[in-house]
Amino acid sequence: MSAPTRKRRWLTICALAASAALVATPAGAASGRTSPFGARALARLAAERAQSTGAVTPKATAEDDDGGNEADEIAEGADQYAEARTSPGIVAPGAYGAAWTSLTDLPSTGGSWRNITDLPYNSDDSRYRDIDSNSSGGSGNVTGRMAAMAADDDGYVYAGSAGGGVWRSRSGGGHWQPISDRLSSQSTGALALDGAGRLWLGTGEATTNADAYLGSGVYVLSDPHHGTFSSRRRVGGDELESTTIHELRFGGGKVWAATSEGVWSHSTRTLGGAWKLEFAPNPDYLPGGSLASDPSAAYKNIANDIAIDPKDPDKVILAVGWRSGDDYNGFYTQDSKGSWQRITSGFGDLPTDADNVGNVTFARSADGSRYYAIDQSPEQLNTNPDSGLEGIYRAASPSGPWTKIADYRQLAADGSALTSSGYMPGVQAWYNQFLTVDPSDPGHVYAGLEEVYETKDGGGTWSTVGPYWNFNFSCWSIDPAKQTGDCNQTTHSDQHGVAIGRYHGKSFVYVGNDGGVYKRPVDGSQDTSGHATDWTSLNDGTIDTLQYYSVGIGKDLTYGGVSVTGGLQDNGQSILRGNDTVMGSDFGGDGGDTLTDPANGCDLAEEYVYLAIQVTQNCAVNDGSWITDATKATSYNVAPADNATGEARFIAPLAADLKDSSTWIAGGRHIWVQTHGYAIRSGDEWKSVYDLGAGRTATAVAASGGKVYAAWCGPCNNQGFARGISVGNADGTGWHDIALPATGADGTVPNRYLSGFAVDPKNADHVFLAVNGFSRHWTEGPGAGVGHVFESTDGGTTWKDISANLPDVPANSAVVTPNGGLAVATDLGVVYRAPGRTRWERVGSLPAVAVLQLKLGPDGSTLYAATHGRGIYTIRVRDCS
């Protein structure tokens, strides 16, 4: 799939990846969007230019018009990562907390991890301005997704990432340091400063997207200027463990938390004692309730925000509801007896019917004279091909009446970059939302959806100060001598967090999105189109929250050392060459699995999603000349046929034979083999060597010396989940399914998601299997079984559980080290079993971050770990011994 298509689909996949939310999305919960993706955006730009200049345009393919259902695809990606961790049932709260305790109790190996991606990552790097990159879009330096922001008037800024913890800047942004590494959850839901200057952290990202991880509760940092978060400063007991927290609000001496399990409150004066459940619309679905084991339980008590009147803290409005719709969705307030009642009238323009109240964000002015709200509508999400946004609203009191001050059409007409790409503002309003009011002006508001919008007159007029990107504007140019042509820098897309603070006496707005943190003066400048001219990326490399799915390593034949690359959530493919001080991005969109030639790090293949594979043999270095000459492109689309038919998983498996780097294995419904290595130029060069069967898709593949292992699931969700292993040869002979007990009996491979193989390079019949999910202690589903690592010495015919003292935590991948040891990547770090031993040790002391893939460097002396929230780390293999 070409990059310009990927540029279009960057919007849709930003929310995809993988959900550790511990339950799969219930059937029918996702919306039904019908907007096609259409032709590649940049190819269209090139075609328009060609009409006037006679230039040659890049050739379009069938993939360029791969009509699709956007919201269904978002939901499907979310389902698939959740399936890996939940199927065949649901998982009880506390699983990750227990696993973290067990992991930290393990003995540790020697050595320590080194972060190699803690340097700037330039998404506009002109070295990689190839057809498949997003270079020149205007996002500049990026890092991983930021879920929440906070800032004070002393120049301190706090950024809460999706999976890499909380970070502090003492200089108005930049020069960051992590301050939550000692916590058992590195997933941020909310950050808030109270009147006493304390920093409150609600863990568990609450964007209901694919790779949101559950939290371990709420924590307070009394001295945020100097201290770090500690488990000793958790507020209350374990009531909010294994929830997500959307917002923390203060009023009447209490902190209120809008969580995935209702609305809770706690005294801000006394941090001990239990949280009080203020309201849950469906309490029977809460943990311990009669319906707690229902597959839809996690979607029955979602709270999004709380509005509290500072003049009368007893006046509280709750915004409650699942973004795809449920009967309980709505706004609630207390009656004279203290009972919570749904608001059904007197609210003005802000809807009160369940169909039109979804994800909601409130904001109020510092003087309490103005309130604002964003409302995402389930009905719009399910039926409107343009947007899921119901509107933005204003009121003098949280009780209303509310007046609509913007809808998606108005925002689209005020300088949005989305309209020329075929979308409308709010297309992902269930995922992208923030709202804040300038403390010095009740009419000055910043709103975040996919883009950043600003109004200075209370909503009468709006400007798109942070457009989605610059590609469709007349100021844009592919010129590699310029970062964004004649356009100004913008922010990364997909907004989540916002704060206003002061530094050296000047006010700034700080926004957090899928590309990290950006700032501009609160009263900044705009061009004639209403686009800001003064955004600054604060992703200076000292903050590394990059969310990798994969890693690839090869010798750098040009600069020496090694070239390291990896696929990222919504930040394309990063590449770090041997002499680099700044990483570049040679492929855009999302990055999935990665292959790199150990002998030449510029020979690499990158999967986008669903087996959409691109290959390059020069690191995708290009001067931009492809825009006028299609033959100048240096990357090629080589997707096997399962990509076009949709019969591959969102992040589909891709591997090279251990003994022959020119033989590649890819898995969808079919097991695909191609033998041209990095010289492949067409998807037609793949050969299907085995059909797993209708409804089945590969979850892991591996090969050594022509022997191929393939794991699959089908169905892959809780309804009838099934898994299996197929074994055969790369030449298409000898294929057969391994007989696995359907129920995952004790000592056998569990009936859970099979996530990775590690083949002994000395013996292709000796193979290890990593198993995801949680054992039956936590999982209420048929055949959940026990164990996470299994071994076969007879080519996969029989398996033995070798988990021993391994914590009960999802295992993602494994690698056999040169000394015969075994390293395993888990959702909470890396473990190692030395050769001849049966017990596991913890490798180093990574924070509580998911490690999705392990790879060995070209000489086998270094282990590389792709984390989903803290970048790529390395450790010497000998230090694991």
Side-chain angles (χ1 to χ4, degrees):
M1 184 177 298
S2 66
T5 301
R6 290 147 58 88
K7 290 180 172 70
R8 289 292 303 275
R9 298 185 71 181
W10 194 3
L11 173 71
T12 71
I13 305 301
C14 59
L16 300 173
S19 174
L22 297 190
V23 292
T25 306
S31 58
R33 191 170 157 73
T34 58
S35 175
F37 296 122
R40 301 181 301 180
L42 285 187
R44 185 172 61 249
L45 285 173
E48 292 169 354
R49 188 167 301 179
Q51 289 177 359
S52 59
T53 65
V56 178
T57 63
K59 184 178 183 230
T61 69
E63 290 175 345
D64 301 334
D65 295 298
D66 60 344
N69 186 311
E70 179 177 23
D72 281 354
E73 194 167 284
I74 292 172
E76 182 181 349
D79 282 354
Q80 289 189 9
Y81 199 83
E83 289 163 1
R85 285 153 178 78
T86 63
S87 296
I90 65 168
V91 179
Y96 276 103
W100 178 246
T101 299
S102 298
L103 188 71
T104 55
D105 286 343
L106 288 180
S108 294
T109 65
S112 59
W113 292 97
R114 179 174 68 92
N115 185 342
I116 64 169
T117 53
D118 57 348
L119 72 169
Y121 173 31
N122 185 5
S123 67
D124 288 326
D125 194 329
S126 59
R127 293 176 294 174
Y128 305 106
R129 196 152 291 176
D130 194 75
I131 191 172
D132 280 331
S133 79
N134 278 322
S135 180
S136 75
S139 297
N141 289 346
V142 296
T143 190
R145 187 169 68 247
M146 290 298 156
M149 300 295 303
D152 63 21
D153 290 339
D154 298 317
Y156 286 79
V157 184
Y158 309 95
S161 68
V166 181
W167 298 71
R168 172 177 60 213
S169 169
R170 293 186 169 100
S171 55
H175 304 289
W176 302 91
Q177 65 179 135
I179 60 174
S180 66
D181 280 3
R182 291 186 291 167
L183 299 184
S184 60
S185 173
Q186 297 300 307
S187 175
T188 305
L191 285 176
L193 288 161
D194 67 10
R198 297 178 295 179
L199 181 64
W200 294 68
L201 162 64
T203 59
E205 188 188 16
T207 45
T208 65
N209 56 292
D211 53 347
Y213 282 81
L214 297 180
S216 55
V218 174
Y219 301 84
V220 172
L221 188 53
S222 298
D223 182 13
H225 286 188
H226 304 97
T228 58
F229 283 103
S230 166
S231 58
R232 297 190 302 273
R233 298 294 289 171
R234 187 168 78 168
V235 181
D238 60 2
E239 299 84 13
L240 301 187
E241 186 171 331
S242 297
T243 67
T244 63
I245 297 175
H246 199 285
E247 295 288 353
L248 295 171
R249 304 293 188 184
F250 303 96
K254 295 190 290 187
V255 57
W256 294 69
T259 82
S260 54
E261 293 179 359
V263 178
W264 300 70
S265 70
H266 198 284
S267 169
T268 57
R269 302 180 182 91
T270 303
L271 302 183
W275 285 82
K276 176 186 177 183
L277 177 60
E278 293 281 358
F279 177 65
N282 296 292
D284 287 344
Y285 289 91
L286 294 174
S290 60
L291 297 174
S293 62
D294 190 291
S296 65
Y299 304 88
K300 289 297 185 180
N301 288 287
I302 292 174
N304 296 299
D305 208 348
I306 303 129
I308 305 171
D309 190 339
K311 301 172 184 177
D312 185 357
D314 291 333
K315 291 183 178 179
V316 179
I317 303 295
L318 310 181
V320 177
W322 166 231
R323 44 99 164 171
S324 288
D326 204 307
D327 291 343
Y328 72 88
N329 285 30
F331 297 97
Y332 293 78
T333 189
Q334 286 179 305
D335 61 20
S336 59
K337 298 180 180 179
S339 298
W340 293 97
Q341 304 292 331
R342 187 201 297 266
I343 296 172
T344 58
S345 62
F347 229 40
D349 295 338
L350 191 55
T352 56
D353 60 299
D355 289 341
N356 285 302
V357 181
N359 186 22
V360 172
T361 301
F362 290 120
R364 69 170 174 84
S365 61
D367 63 5
S369 66
R370 294 265 185 100
Y371 290 80
Y372 296 89
I374 294 177
D375 176 31
Q376 168 261 323
S377 162
E379 183 175 348
Q380 293 272 359
L381 183 67
N382 287 322
T383 64
N384 187 348
D386 293 323
S387 177
L389 179 68
E390 183 68 17
I392 303 177
Y393 302 82
R394 184 186 68 212
S397 161
S399 300
W402 292 82
T403 300
K404 181 181 283 191
I405 55 175
D407 60 19
Y408 69 89
R409 294 182 182 87
Q410 180 177 353
L411 296 176
D414 291 323
S416 170
L418 290 170
T419 54
S420 55
S421 298
Y423 299 102
M424 285 285 191
V427 68
Q428 289 179 180
W430 61 267
Y431 172 66
N432 306 313
Q433 278 194 24
F434 72 55
L435 195 61
T436 194
V437 186
D438 182 347
S440 64
D441 182 355
H444 188 191
V445 179
Y446 279 91
L449 294 167
E450 297 75 36
E451 303 170 297
V452 182
Y453 307 97
E454 180 184 21
T455 178
K456 295 184 178 181
D457 56 9
T461 58
W462 293 85
S463 299
T464 307
V465 291
Y468 192 81
W469 50 28
N470 289 320
F471 290 122
N472 298 318
F473 298 141
S474 59
C475 56
W476 175 81
S477 170
I478 195 67
D479 186 353
K482 299 180 179 181
Q483 286 296 297
T484 59
D486 294 320
C487 298
N488 293 292
Q489 292 289 137
T490 183
T491 69
H492 195 287
S493 56
D494 302 319
Q495 313 304 318
H496 303 292
V498 65
I500 292 176
R502 296 178 66 82
Y503 181 58
H504 287 170
K506 188 173 183 178
S507 292
F508 292 91
V509 60
Y510 299 89
V511 301
N513 49 49
D514 274 16
V517 187
Y518 297 77
K519 78 173 181 180
R520 72 181 292 248
V522 168
D523 288 310
S525 61
Q526 302 177 14
D527 62 20
T528 56
S529 298
H531 305 143
T533 63
D534 44 15
W535 284 110
T536 299
S537 169
L538 300 178
N539 309 304
D540 57 4
T542 62
I543 183 170
D544 183 4
T545 59
L546 291 168
Q547 296 167 282
Y548 282 95
Y549 290 117
S550 61
V551 60
I553 316 97
K555 293 180 180 179
D556 192 321
L557 302 182
T558 302
Y559 303 108
V562 294
S563 175
V564 182
T565 184
L568 289 152
Q569 189 273 329
D570 210 26
N571 282 298
Q573 187 89 359
S574 72
I575 184 163
L576 174 62
R577 306 289 295 277
N579 71 333
D580 277 351
T581 57
V582 175
M583 289 193 297
S585 177
D586 51 2
F587 293 98
D590 279 74
D593 217 336
T594 300
L595 291 182
T596 304
D597 185 350
N600 183 353
C602 272
D603 285 350
L604 59 92
E606 180 262 4
E607 179 198 15
Y608 176 38
V609 292
Y610 302 112
L611 283 184
I613 300 169
Q614 287 75 228
V615 65
T616 180
Q617 291 192 278
N618 76 333
C619 288
V621 172
N622 195 285
D623 61 4
S625 57
W626 62 266
I627 199 72
T628 57
D629 185 349
T631 65
K632 297 293 182 66
T634 59
S635 58
Y636 306 89
N637 306 305
V638 296
D642 282 353
N643 168 250
T645 60
E647 295 178 291
R649 291 184 67 76
F650 176 66
I651 301 296
L654 177 66
D657 191 297
L658 288 178
K659 302 296 185 181
D660 179 7
S661 62
S662 292
T663 297
W664 295 0
I665 316 299
R669 168 179 168 168
H670 302 82
I671 304 304
W672 298 92
V673 174
Q674 71 93 5
T675 57
H676 302 282
Y678 300 91
I680 185 175
R681 292 295 180 265
S682 167
D684 294 337
E685 296 175 61
W686 292 93
K687 176 184 178 182
S688 173
V689 296
Y690 190 62
D691 184 350
L692 295 173
R696 294 178 176 179
T697 54
T699 60
V701 295
S704 181
K707 180 158 189 168
V708 180
Y709 296 91
W712 52 265
C713 62
C716 296
N717 55 28
N718 292 345
Q719 289 72 42
F721 177 84
R723 53 73 182 105
I725 297 173
S726 302
V727 179
N729 299 314
D731 63 7
T733 63
W735 277 94
H736 62 283
D737 291 344
I738 299 296
L740 297 178
T743 59
D746 286 354
T748 66
V749 176
N751 187 40
R752 304 201 311 268
Y753 186 91
L754 309 181
S755 52
F757 293 103
V759 184
D760 184 346
K762 298 178 181 179
N763 179 2
D765 286 334
H766 186 202
V767 61
F768 300 91
L769 174 68
V771 181
N772 215 289
F774 288 89
S775 295
R776 65 168 176 242
H777 176 78
W778 298 102
T779 302
E780 300 177 14
V786 295
H788 290 276
V789 184
F790 291 78
E791 180 180 18
S792 174
T793 58
D794 56 11
T797 300
T798 60
W799 296 88
K800 176 185 177 182
D801 183 1
I802 60 169
S803 303
N805 64 323
L806 184 72
D808 189 0
V809 61
N812 299 307
S813 75
V815 64
V816 178
T817 59
N819 65 351
L822 183 66
V824 176
T826 80
D827 268 7
L828 293 175
V830 180
V831 294
Y832 175 76
R833 193 189 73 164
R837 305 286 182 86
T838 60
R839 309 289 285 177
W840 297 88
E841 297 177 290
R842 183 186 181 193
V843 179
S845 56
L846 290 172
V849 62
V851 181
L852 297 189
Q853 192 175 80
L854 292 174
K855 292 275 184 71
L856 287 169
D859 62 3
S861 66
T862 305
L863 189 66
Y864 291 77
T867 78
H868 201 65
R870 289 297 282 269
I872 296 173
Y873 284 77
T874 67
I875 193 170
R876 292 177 300 178
V877 172
R878 70 186 186 192
D879 291 335
C880 298
S881 303

